[in-house]
Amino acid sequence: MRKLTIQIFAAIALLINANTGNACTNYLVTKGASVDGSTMITYAADSHYLFGELYFKPAAVYPAGTLMKIYEWDTGKFLGEIPQTLQTYSVVGNMNEYQVAIGETTYGGREELQDSTGLIDYGSLMYIALQRSKSAREAIKVMAELVEKYGYYSSGESFSVADKNEVWIFEMIGKGTDIKVDKKTKKAYNANRGAVWVAIRIPDGYVSGHANHARITTFPLENMKTSISSKNLDKIFEPDVEVVYAHDVISFARQKGYFTGKDEEFSFSDVYAPLDFGAARFCEIRVWSFFKAVNKDMWNYFDYAKGHDLKNRMPLYIKPERKLSVRDMMNFMRDHLEGTELDMSKDPGAGPHGLPYRWRPLTWKYEGKSYFNERATATQQTGFSFVAQMRSWLPDAVGGIFWFSVDDAASTVYFPVYCSVTSVPEAYAEGKGDMLTYCDDCAFWVFNKVSNFAYLRYDLMIQDIKRVQDELENRFISQTAVVDQTALKLLETNKEDAVRFLTDYTVNTGNYVVARWEKLFQFLLMKFMDGNVKQEDGKGGLKYNQYDYCPAPVKNPQYPDWWKKNVIDATGDKLAVPEGAASH
């Protein structure tokens, strides 16, 4: 057993504090790595404060001089105003009408580099870019220019930026504050305004991932063919360019004393977000769990992912041994580290019903020693998650499907949202409720009713949940071809009819999912009430006795032997039936 030092736990504490509201997971899949040539990115927005809802911003035209108010996504804090662009594109969730999708994970990095004077936080950066970009490359350019001009308010961030042809990982951190006073205007300003960053295109046929730790290490320096700096940002649209970075990403690190080596030795992650035990065990472990599911060689990095061999660092991207589907990506988001020694459902902390979750805090103390719980991909505090699927062989209106869900990914349902919709399902719409406002027909609260009830007897209830989950998701996936063809036929004569059809399908499907989940909750409540397990009738309901008067005999599953032993060890003979005494 390896001992964890006080210094390591201090690093863990800093990591946890930096990511309390932003512990998220992204997986990235290129065209050549998917079964049908789609590009895909996934995103779980994991936060104890985030209400899961489906954002929608219609396309709009603005008069010259219009200002856009910027509010921090995490807190709602007003940060300031910036000029609005003349034309914005429609955005549903984290995908726009041109099949551009963006996700993120916060890695924090060096705390002193956060800029309190910046106007653009990471959330605003994503959603503004989606409203202004027709490709992943344009989105990266927009994001880089926004932070350069208006300052970057958040801490270190990794973004997944994808369109129907390409998938990029884009990592950024601010430059801190160096307040100066302009001699002419006498106004104070931040001389370090902006951010340092690196963006890398994932090679076709490969997959990548990031989960709250910066993953870009070394990268090819500017050669004006495959790699450019921000001084030549306009060349980002040249197809051979696969690396773009802030021109001062290395010189700024030298200036701050973070780096003294040769330029070609510079590693973004090692300099701006040094790797430690917590970064590996709580963050990289989630990327590793995805990687090992698609390439058996990744077991060679298990010790690294556990935080014990930090020099054997995982690659930024890998080639999967098989092509991946939308359903695969949904299932990867449901991972609890099953199949490894770290599976939390297999230790006593899971309780007698195999719960694969542990309530926060992530670290805890006992008799002066520090301990921790595992951090898997699927987690109880997810606000929403998605699988964004972009299909280049179809018109944009039909090609982009934003598979969306709320709450815990393991017990939720992903339903299809076409990127051209003009409205979203009422049950998922913004403003229906919030974290302190309950509503009976909000998707977030309906799904939380089911998941939180299931946490009480997880081993049994999750089987019923997955049965309905599979039924719905398999149906939606199988219907995709028919929906596509119908929309394409309508598109031949009238785009508005096609968009109306896709909107109706999305809205009706989303609302149906929530209604079906409410029925599931009612079924689970009746079946598992009071610790009993009622029999099913084989028709989707529960079985009455032979007189149709009361339930058929209920089952009372035994507690596992290890649990019984723990109770006996703790209570001695207190609960023992005396020998020879009658018992019922």
Side-chain angles (χ1 to χ4, degrees):
M1 178 178 178
R2 297 172 174 86
K3 294 182 179 179
L4 302 180
T5 66
I6 294 174
Q7 289 83 359
I8 286 177
F9 271 102
I12 293 172
L14 287 174
L15 178 73
I16 294 168
N17 290 336
N19 295 299
T20 299
N22 311 291
C24 309
T25 307
N26 285 202
Y27 300 144
L28 301 78
V29 179
T30 59
K31 294 172 71 171
S34 67
V35 295
D36 61 358
S38 301
T39 59
M40 292 181 282
I41 63 171
T42 71
Y43 174 38
D46 301 334
S47 169
H48 298 278
Y49 304 95
L50 179 65
F51 185 78
E53 54 195 352
L54 183 55
Y55 309 138
F56 176 67
K57 295 292 183 184
V61 175
Y62 296 92
T66 300
L67 294 177
M68 177 184 188
K69 295 182 183 297
I70 305 296
Y71 297 91
E72 187 184 17
W73 186 38
D74 285 335
T75 66
K77 176 184 177 181
F78 176 66
L79 298 180
E81 294 180 323
I82 66 170
Q84 179 61 278
T85 190
L86 299 179
Q87 169 76 60
T88 60
Y89 310 131
S90 177
V91 178
V92 60
N94 288 53
M95 182 188 286
N96 73 15
E97 61 182 293
Y98 292 101
Q99 301 192 66
V100 178
I102 304 177
E104 59 78 28
T105 65
T106 302
Y107 64 82
R110 294 183 180 274
E111 292 184 331
E112 69 271 20
L113 296 184
Q114 189 160 0
D115 176 12
S116 60
T117 71
L119 293 185
I120 309 291
D121 69 296
Y122 77 93
S124 300
L125 198 58
M126 288 194 298
Y127 295 112
I128 294 173
L130 286 169
Q131 292 180 72
R132 299 183 180 189
S133 307
K134 292 184 178 181
S135 70
R137 292 172 184 255
E138 185 173 16
I140 292 169
K141 184 174 185 289
V142 167
M143 295 165 79
E145 291 175 340
L146 281 171
V147 296
E148 181 180 10
K149 188 170 184 178
Y150 301 110
Y152 179 57
Y153 181 77
S154 300
S155 60
E157 197 76 23
S158 297
F159 299 97
S160 299
V161 186
D163 59 27
K164 56 196 173 188
N165 293 306
E166 298 181 332
V167 179
W168 292 69
I169 183 170
F170 179 21
E171 298 195 325
M172 172 184 294
I173 194 167
K175 297 162 70 175
T177 54
D178 181 14
I179 303 300
K180 306 286 187 183
V181 177
D182 187 281
K183 293 181 179 179
K184 292 183 179 179
T185 65
K186 306 301 181 183
K187 292 183 178 180
Y189 68 95
N190 180 14
N192 280 349
R193 183 180 63 193
V196 287
W197 51 268
V198 181
I200 294 179
R201 182 179 66 82
I202 306 303
D204 192 41
Y206 287 73
V207 301
S208 186
H210 52 93
N212 303 123
H213 188 70
R215 302 206 64 246
I216 295 175
T217 54
T218 58
F219 53 90
L221 300 180
E222 185 169 46
N223 57 26
M224 299 304 292
K225 293 180 180 178
T226 60
S227 178
I228 60 172
S229 76
S230 58
K231 287 185 176 181
N232 296 291
L233 192 55
D234 288 343
K235 294 185 180 295
I236 192 173
F237 300 105
E238 296 183 6
D240 289 338
V241 171
E242 53 191 28
V243 176
V244 190
Y245 59 92
H247 69 89
D248 58 347
V249 68
I250 299 175
S251 61
F252 180 74
R254 292 186 187 281
Q255 174 191 327
K256 298 292 288 185
Y258 302 150
F259 178 69
T260 58
K262 298 177 181 179
D263 283 3
E264 57 268 25
E265 298 172 337
F266 176 82
S267 163
F268 183 88
S269 176
D270 290 320
V271 169
Y272 289 112
L275 183 70
D276 55 29
F277 173 85
R281 189 60 170 253
F282 301 144
C283 305
E284 291 281 81
I285 191 76
R286 286 173 270 154
V287 177
W288 172 85
S289 200
F290 166 48
F291 280 5
K292 60 87 174 161
V294 301
N295 189 313
K296 61 180 179 296
D297 290 342
M298 293 309 295
W299 281 99
N300 294 327
Y301 295 93
F302 189 31
D303 220 32
Y304 162 79
K306 289 190 291 184
H308 301 318
D309 184 6
L310 300 184
K311 293 182 179 180
N312 186 34
R313 191 156 187 171
M314 284 192 304
L316 177 62
Y317 46 78
I318 65 167
K319 193 173 184 65
E321 295 173 337
R322 62 182 176 87
K323 306 278 183 156
L324 306 178
S325 68
V326 163
R327 191 58 199 268
D328 286 328
M329 303 313 296
M330 294 175 182
N331 290 336
F332 292 143
M333 297 304 287
R334 294 172 171 141
D335 180 73
H336 294 114
L337 298 170
E338 290 93 346
T340 79
E341 65 193 54
L342 309 183
D343 182 348
M344 287 185 289
S345 70
K346 305 301 184 184
D347 67 52
H353 303 301
L355 183 66
Y357 300 109
R358 301 292 181 271
W359 313 140
R360 296 300 185 260
L362 196 59
T363 61
W364 42 281
K365 289 183 178 293
Y366 177 70
E367 293 185 346
K369 291 185 66 175
S370 295
Y371 299 86
F372 62 90
N373 297 317
E374 305 296 350
R375 170 55 162 104
T377 301
T379 184
Q380 65 270 16
Q381 75 265 21
T382 300
F384 66 80
S385 64
F386 66 73
V387 178
Q389 180 186 20
M390 290 70 71
R391 303 176 292 171
S392 62
W393 64 94
L394 292 168
D396 288 330
V398 184
I401 305 181
F402 188 72
W403 298 89
F404 185 73
S405 74
V406 294
D407 192 32
D408 181 349
S411 55
T412 191
V413 172
Y414 290 98
F415 77 98
V417 179
Y418 279 81
C419 71
S420 59
V421 297
T422 56
S423 62
V424 300
E426 293 87 349
Y428 292 85
E430 291 181 82
K432 287 279 288 183
D434 59 46
M435 290 295 274
L436 301 179
T437 306
Y438 181 85
C439 61
D440 290 325
D441 55 352
C442 289
F444 183 76
W445 286 118
V446 171
F447 274 90
N448 267 281
K449 278 198 302 188
V450 171
S451 62
N452 278 267
F453 185 43
Y455 295 154
L456 300 177
R457 198 155 196 167
Y458 195 81
D459 56 341
L460 298 181
M461 290 196 211
I462 193 62
Q463 297 178 44
D464 289 318
I465 291 171
K466 286 190 174 298
R467 184 171 60 191
V468 182
Q469 182 186 74
D470 288 344
E471 168 202 324
L472 295 177
E473 291 178 347
N474 287 338
R475 183 193 310 170
F476 301 151
I477 291 170
S478 67
Q479 287 175 346
T480 299
V482 175
V483 175
D484 289 349
Q485 289 303 313
T486 303
L488 288 171
K489 191 67 177 176
L490 292 169
L491 204 59
E492 291 176 2
T493 55
N494 191 308
K495 182 178 180 180
E496 289 184 0
D497 287 345
V499 170
R500 188 177 301 112
F501 165 73
L502 293 173
T503 300
D504 289 345
Y505 173 71
T506 294
V507 169
N508 292 336
T509 300
N511 287 331
Y512 169 73
V513 166
V514 176
R516 180 68 182 86
W517 222 244
E518 173 62 32
K519 289 289 186 184
L520 174 62
F521 172 73
Q522 296 170 13
F523 174 82
L524 293 173
L525 180 61
M526 291 185 290
K527 181 177 179 180
F528 294 100
M529 185 178 69
D530 296 335
N532 301 314
V533 182
K534 297 183 178 72
Q535 297 182 45
E536 295 188 29
D537 61 8
K539 302 175 184 178
L542 300 171
K543 189 176 182 179
Y544 281 94
N545 70 358
Q546 59 183 322
Y547 308 108
D548 290 334
Y549 177 70
C550 64
V554 299
K555 298 178 181 179
N556 303 112
Q558 288 275 326
Y559 284 103
D561 285 347
W562 68 262
W563 184 89
K564 295 177 184 177
K565 182 181 184 304
N566 285 348
V567 171
I568 293 168
D569 289 345
T571 60
D573 292 334
K574 184 179 74 171
L575 303 177
V577 177
E579 289 188 19
S583 61
H584 298 279

